[in-house]
Amino acid sequence: MTLLQRLGRLLISLAVGGFIFFLGIPEGLSWEAWFLLSVFIFTIVGIILKAMPMGAMGIFGMTLLAITNTLTFQEVFSGFHNHVVWLIVIAFFIARGFIKTGLGLRIAYQLMYLLGKNTKGLAYGLVFTDFILAPAIPSVTARAGGVVYPVVTALAKAFGSEPHNGPRKLGAYLVQTAFQAGVVSSAMFLTAMAGNPLVAELASESGITITWGSWALAAIVPGLISLLVMPHLMSLLYPPEIKNTPNAKAFSREELKKLGPMSVQEWVMVFVFALLIALWISGPYIHMKAVVAALVGICILLLSSVLSWEDVIKEKGAWDTLVWFSALVMMGAFLNKFGITGWFSQLVVSHLQGMHWIPGFLTLLLVYFYSHYFFASNVAHIGAMYAPFLVLGIALGAPPVLAALLLGFSSSLFGGLTHYGCGPAPIFFGSGYVKLNLWWKLGLYVSVVNLIIWIVLGGIWWKVIGLF
Amino acid sequence: MTLLQRLGRLLISLAVGGFIFFLGIPEGLSWEAWFLLSVFIFTIVGIILKAMPMGAMGIFGMTLLAITNTLTFQEVFSGFHNHVVWLIVIAFFIARGFIKTGLGLRIAYQLMYLLGKNTKGLAYGLVFTDFILAPAIPSVTARAGGVVYPVVTALAKAFGSEPHNGPRKLGAYLVQTAFQAGVVSSAMFLTAMAGNPLVAELASESGITITWGSWALAAIVPGLISLLVMPHLMSLLYPPEIKNTPNAKAFSREELKKLGPMSVQEWVMVFVFALLIALWISGPYIHMKAVVAALVGICILLLSSVLSWEDVIKEKGAWDTLVWFSALVMMGAFLNKFGITGWFSQLVVSHLQGMHWIPGFLTLLLVYFYSHYFFASNVAHIGAMYAPFLVLGIALGAPPVLAALLLGFSSSLFGGLTHYGCGPAPIFFGSGYVKLNLWWKLGLYVSVVNLIIWIVLGGIWWKVIGLF
């Protein structure tokens, strides 16, 4: 993108924000509140248009708020001591350990070795690899690009399946299954996708508490069903030409041999991983915040030299997330504090009286979900639409927790629609195995199946565990 | 360093912290206060012993405080929304622009071209380069390693002065002068050395406000005198064999030609630099915090594509500083809030009654200064000794501002004593031009001259401008 294109898009963002501002301040709202809303909209539009990277847009928004004294400096930077922000930042560091030590690849090849008798078995191996790594690798891009993708392409090539010759469909089947499974496992844990903590934080602004454990509990049943269904569904929609892969076991054993025996570093990673999951689940009972558990984890990795301090400070994805996340969390918190959220919900309520919540909320959910065709990032979508749609859903009379969770899980699931909708999409698409129109068709079919599983079976599960 | 050595040093740090803790809690102090002091001492001892990098020690300290519930998570991470911390973090980003655009090198060669008729002229060129860049490049290592050092060695070699053959002393003279000038200019601006804002923050805990402008105003007279004296002093202590450098002008012109005409990016850097200095000086009058000005600066650099967002997130020195600085600032603030500082000052006062402040404070200052022989980092030294020595000085009856400034300026100046005492020292020493015993001898002599200039002439200047 040229400098001019970028400035053009920035001007559009500025125009949209400015338009809102000059609409005039509704009664009961302060000048500061209305200016904050305009800056927020400027920031979000800039992120959606990709005028600048998210972090840079965040800095612009923060600077506008600081320079106009809309907020004090401490308020503008208050997101930087938010505990969910740091949970995800530290999880990025811990995730580096999986890749650096090679444990991620070992898990993948071990599962291939165990399950890879046939093509579906291989697919299950990939699905479970992603599922196992999801709780501790919040960067879907790192999970896909650092672990799953290299394994998928190595496997496909080992069976002679290249994008442009040989039985292309084996690679295509594995790529699609791995991609869609990654989308599902992102929805399953608070720490499985960088946008999930943003969901939790925005939900908490509406008075709904979501902990690491309650997220995982709610997602485990529909999530596992989605994951188990995926290899079958995909082989139905897009059957691979090669069904039996007798050499996969031998191939995986070769790769495992290359990795050698488990190193001390890998054992430390296993220990830290187990400790984290245990602490994250038991957190509310032993009164330990998830972020404090993550701090303990990173201390162990540093002490044991699994990670060096250099690894931490050069983990640029973490610092990127720190900045954009802090900016969005801060704006969300002050939109609420300044009464914008309340004003919006009252505005909506007055228009929705008498409507039943079930058709109303379902419409809302589908609009939220399929508007992802227009987004190139889960987080941009969450930042722009999650909070107002949650407010809308609650105003319609939907049970707040149900609304928060369904919109939250959708915030990962919609990533499977296109070849640009979430971080791993361009990576997998870039392999060349799957053509564009097929990618979109499969994405649409899978999204329908996922929505049915998560709404119907999920709804039943949440009723059973008493969430609503 | 092996893992065992590192763990050994950590155990020593833990033992020292634990020893303090088990000394027993003095009357009037809470359990939390005493535990915080022990954690602080553990962290600082670990930093001094280089058990782990500063940032990692900071994380350990924060984790200990969070996991014991000594402080809440928000309190533990409160340093991350401190405005001086972010001033220095953003200054690191801006500094990257000087190096990336080549403006730093251009300034250096331009000054060489103007002043480089003889060896002393070259030395002045280096001195002024460092001085000009100092306000906006808080990483002394980046200033030395990224701009001054490459020019020094290129110049020396251009005149046939190599560490092991030819007239070694030209290179040696330039290296020593550039190094000591860098030490002096670090002391001159709040944003010239990463530890300076820590000084300002710790002083503010003792009720002394130091702004960007008041720091620069206090330092400008003794600083400029030190800088002007340096090339002469060094040629007296260590005369270069080559006095005339008729080719230096031609050499610099060649280098300038290689750089080509000023690029748009460089002009933007010049503009941002001028704007920052103007805003930093006028800040208190237009009610703009220095950090907000820095935010404006980084926005301009991002908007104009002088820096990309990628440049920002991979600027690992900035993220390193963010972590260790936030940790130390947080501990300093809570040591004060929990009454440790007050308790310590009362303890000292009771022992010092009747002593005159001038000999008392001078002794203190010299102890503070020359104990830097035992430190490999300005920041470690500041973190360990600045706050208690300031409290001691004030308790002795020294004018608080004078005490804060002299200890603060010393916190840069002592970096010239050894070949490991501050970031640039190992870089310049590593050039091989100056042998170890000579380096220490020159460091000692220069320190005496610097102390006289800053205490006597500085003291007169501060009296004139009414600082005490």
Side-chain angles (χ1 to χ4, degrees):
Chain A
M1 191 163 34
T2 68
L3 184 59
L4 268 182
Q5 279 176 312
R6 161 174 296 179
L7 289 179
R9 292 179 189 194
L10 265 177
L11 274 180
I12 297 174
S13 321
L14 214 54
V16 176
F19 175 76
I20 299 288
F21 186 68
F22 288 112
L23 273 183
I25 306 169
E27 250 196 66
L29 288 177
S30 64
W31 183 92
E32 282 84 5
W34 202 240
F35 184 71
L36 173 65
L37 179 66
S38 316
V39 170
F40 173 69
I41 287 173
F42 156 72
T43 310
I44 289 289
V45 174
I47 290 175
I48 294 172
L49 295 181
K50 299 207 162 207
M52 297 283 278
M54 280 202 283
M57 287 307 306
I59 294 274
F60 292 167
M62 291 197 287
T63 305
L64 283 173
L65 294 173
I67 207 175
T68 53
N69 281 318
T70 309
L71 299 172
T72 67
F73 175 82
Q74 281 217 342
E75 287 171 339
V76 170
F77 276 69
S78 57
F80 285 90
H81 69 176
N82 179 292
H83 64 109
V84 228
V85 171
W86 279 97
L87 170 60
I88 218 70
V89 169
I90 298 170
F92 266 88
F93 302 141
I94 292 169
R96 172 59 48 196
F98 276 94
I99 295 168
K100 188 186 175 193
T101 58
L103 182 62
L105 282 181
R106 183 186 301 277
I107 291 172
Y109 282 114
Q110 192 65 55
L111 285 168
M112 296 300 140
Y113 179 69
L114 294 173
L115 302 171
K117 268 171 297 193
N118 50 41
T119 308
K120 248 183 225 166
L122 285 177
Y124 273 112
L126 293 170
V127 168
F128 287 128
T129 301
D130 204 275
F131 170 71
I132 290 173
L133 296 176
I137 306 194
S139 164
V140 277
T141 313
R143 219 156 73 222
V147 181
V148 180
Y149 180 74
V151 173
V152 171
T153 46
L155 273 175
K157 278 180 190 154
F159 290 99
S161 173
E162 299 269 359
H164 302 294
N165 59 39
R168 192 173 56 81
K169 278 185 164 180
L170 173 75
Y173 168 76
L174 290 178
V175 159
Q176 268 297 322
T177 313
F179 169 61
Q180 294 290 352
V183 165
V184 171
S185 49
S186 299
M188 293 180 69
F189 305 96
L190 183 63
T191 43
M193 198 267 286
N196 289 349
L198 183 57
V199 162
E201 194 59 26
L202 294 172
S204 83
E205 302 284 343
S206 288
I208 301 153
T209 308
I210 307 181
T211 65
W212 195 92
S214 71
W215 182 299
L217 183 66
I220 194 78
V221 168
L224 279 181
I225 295 172
S226 268
L227 289 180
L228 290 172
V229 162
M230 201 60 72
H232 290 282
L233 176 65
M234 205 56 80
S235 83
L236 224 70
L237 294 172
Y238 190 64
E241 291 136 320
I242 301 175
K243 308 255 188 243
N244 289 307
T245 53
N247 302 326
K249 271 175 118 58
F251 177 77
S252 305
R253 197 171 42 216
E254 265 320 293
E255 292 296 320
L256 285 171
K257 220 182 249 170
K258 277 189 216 156
L259 288 172
M262 283 271 282
S263 66
V264 178
Q265 275 80 12
E266 284 176 277
W267 280 115
V268 174
M269 272 314 299
V270 170
F271 168 73
V272 167
F273 184 57
L275 180 71
L276 278 179
I277 304 290
L279 288 177
W280 282 340
I281 292 172
S282 60
Y285 311 102
I286 60 171
H287 302 289
M288 183 188 274
K289 273 199 163 81
V291 64
V292 177
L295 274 172
V296 172
I298 188 70
C299 284
I300 297 174
L301 294 180
L302 287 168
L303 278 170
S304 57
S305 292
V306 171
L307 290 180
S308 68
W309 183 245
E310 183 74 13
D311 291 328
V312 168
I313 58 175
K314 75 177 187 205
E315 187 61 43
K316 54 189 186 178
W319 304 116
D320 188 19
T321 306
L322 175 67
V323 176
W324 65 251
F325 200 167
S326 297
L328 291 184
V329 160
M330 174 274 292
M331 290 189 203
F334 281 97
L335 282 175
N336 203 34
K337 202 174 262 177
F338 282 3
I340 291 281
T341 321
W343 161 80
F344 177 73
S345 100
Q346 285 219 311
L347 197 76
V348 171
V349 168
S350 62
H351 287 83
L352 293 176
Q353 268 158 355
M355 201 188 213
H356 193 278
W357 75 267
I358 293 188
F361 180 68
L362 271 183
T363 314
L364 214 61
L365 188 66
L366 292 177
V367 171
Y368 182 72
F369 197 102
Y370 287 101
S371 59
H372 196 65
Y373 279 112
F374 305 107
F375 285 93
S377 139
N378 293 357
V379 172
H381 194 156
I382 296 167
M385 295 176 65
Y386 183 84
F389 271 61
L390 179 57
V391 166
L392 273 168
I394 296 174
L396 278 164
V401 178
L402 183 74
L405 286 178
L406 269 177
L407 289 168
F409 298 144
S410 299
S411 304
S412 283
L413 297 175
F414 57 33
L417 286 174
T418 64
H419 60 299
Y420 52 74
C422 62
I427 300 178
F428 282 114
F429 180 72
S431 70
Y433 280 104
V434 185
K435 293 256 163 60
L436 187 59
N437 56 348
L438 180 66
W439 188 282
W440 278 52
K441 208 164 70 183
L442 292 175
L444 182 63
Y445 294 162
V446 171
S447 76
V448 173
V449 176
N450 270 337
L451 274 174
I452 293 171
I453 292 175
W454 288 75
I455 295 175
V456 180
L457 301 182
I460 296 171
W461 170 239
W462 304 328
K463 198 84 197 170
V464 170
I465 58 173
L467 276 188
F468 73 102
Chain B
M1 190 163 36
T2 67
L3 184 60
L4 268 181
Q5 278 175 313
R6 160 175 296 180
L7 289 178
R9 291 179 191 194
L10 265 177
L11 274 180
I12 297 174
S13 321
L14 215 54
V16 176
F19 176 76
I20 299 288
F21 186 69
F22 289 111
L23 272 183
I25 307 170
E27 249 197 69
L29 288 177
S30 64
W31 183 92
E32 282 84 4
W34 202 241
F35 184 71
L36 172 66
L37 179 66
S38 314
V39 170
F40 174 68
I41 288 174
F42 155 72
T43 310
I44 289 289
V45 173
I47 289 174
I48 296 172
L49 294 181
K50 300 208 159 205
M52 296 284 275
M54 280 203 285
M57 288 306 305
I59 294 274
F60 292 167
M62 290 196 289
T63 305
L64 283 173
L65 294 173
I67 207 176
T68 54
N69 281 316
T70 309
L71 298 173
T72 67
F73 176 81
Q74 281 218 340
E75 287 171 338
V76 170
F77 276 69
S78 57
F80 285 91
H81 69 176
N82 180 291
H83 65 108
V84 226
V85 171
W86 279 98
L87 171 60
I88 218 71
V89 169
I90 299 171
F92 265 89
F93 301 143
I94 292 169
R96 172 59 49 197
F98 276 94
I99 295 169
K100 188 187 174 192
T101 59
L103 182 62
L105 282 180
R106 183 185 300 278
I107 291 172
Y109 281 115
Q110 193 63 54
L111 285 169
M112 294 301 139
Y113 179 68
L114 294 174
L115 302 171
K117 266 172 298 190
N118 51 40
T119 308
K120 248 184 225 165
L122 286 177
Y124 273 112
L126 294 170
V127 168
F128 288 127
T129 301
D130 204 274
F131 169 71
I132 289 174
L133 296 176
I137 306 194
S139 164
V140 278
T141 312
R143 220 156 72 223
V147 180
V148 180
Y149 180 75
V151 173
V152 171
T153 47
L155 273 174
K157 277 180 191 155
F159 291 100
S161 173
E162 300 267 0
H164 302 295
N165 58 39
R168 192 172 56 78
K169 275 185 164 180
L170 174 74
Y173 168 76
L174 291 177
V175 159
Q176 269 296 322
T177 312
F179 169 61
Q180 293 291 353
V183 165
V184 171
S185 49
S186 300
M188 293 180 68
F189 304 96
L190 183 63
T191 44
M193 198 267 288
N196 290 348
L198 183 57
V199 161
E201 194 59 26
L202 293 172
S204 82
E205 302 284 344
S206 289
I208 300 154
T209 309
I210 306 181
T211 65
W212 195 91
S214 70
W215 182 299
L217 182 67
I220 194 77
V221 168
L224 280 181
I225 296 173
S226 267
L227 288 180
L228 289 172
V229 161
M230 201 61 72
H232 290 281
L233 176 65
M234 205 57 80
S235 84
L236 223 72
L237 293 173
Y238 190 64
E241 290 136 321
I242 301 174
K243 306 259 189 239
N244 289 307
T245 53
N247 302 326
K249 271 175 120 55
F251 178 75
S252 305
R253 198 171 41 216
E254 265 320 294
E255 292 295 320
L256 284 171
K257 218 180 253 168
K258 276 189 218 158
L259 288 173
M262 282 271 282
S263 65
V264 179
Q265 276 80 11
E266 284 175 279
W267 281 115
V268 175
M269 272 314 299
V270 170
F271 168 72
V272 167
F273 184 55
L275 181 71
L276 277 180
I277 305 290
L279 288 177
W280 280 341
I281 292 172
S282 59
Y285 311 103
I286 59 172
H287 301 289
M288 184 188 273
K289 273 201 161 82
V291 65
V292 177
L295 273 173
V296 173
I298 188 71
C299 283
I300 297 174
L301 295 180
L302 286 169
L303 278 172
S304 57
S305 293
V306 171
L307 289 181
S308 67
W309 182 244
E310 183 74 12
D311 290 328
V312 168
I313 57 174
K314 75 177 186 204
E315 187 62 40
K316 54 188 186 176
W319 304 115
D320 188 19
T321 305
L322 175 67
V323 176
W324 65 250
F325 200 167
S326 297
L328 291 184
V329 160
M330 173 273 293
M331 290 188 203
F334 282 96
L335 282 175
N336 204 33
K337 201 175 262 177
F338 283 2
I340 290 282
T341 322
W343 162 79
F344 177 72
S345 101
Q346 285 219 310
L347 196 76
V348 171
V349 169
S350 63
H351 286 85
L352 292 176
Q353 268 157 357
M355 202 187 211
H356 192 276
W357 74 268
I358 293 188
F361 180 68
L362 272 183
T363 314
L364 216 60
L365 188 66
L366 293 176
V367 171
Y368 182 72
F369 198 103
Y370 289 102
S371 57
H372 196 65
Y373 278 112
F374 304 108
F375 285 93
S377 140
N378 292 357
V379 172
H381 194 157
I382 295 167
M385 295 177 65
Y386 183 83
F389 270 60
L390 179 58
V391 167
L392 272 168
I394 296 173
L396 277 163
V401 177
L402 184 74
L405 287 178
L406 270 177
L407 289 169
F409 298 143
S410 299
S411 305
S412 282
L413 297 174
F414 56 34
L417 285 174
T418 64
H419 61 299
Y420 52 74
C422 61
I427 299 177
F428 283 114
F429 180 72
S431 70
Y433 280 104
V434 186
K435 293 256 164 61
L436 187 59
N437 56 348
L438 180 65
W439 188 283
W440 278 52
K441 210 164 69 182
L442 291 175
L444 182 63
Y445 293 163
V446 170
S447 76
V448 173
V449 175
N450 269 337
L451 274 174
I452 293 171
I453 292 175
W454 287 76
I455 295 174
V456 179
L457 302 180
I460 295 172
W461 169 240
W462 303 327
K463 198 81 196 173
V464 168
I465 57 175
L467 276 187
F468 74 100

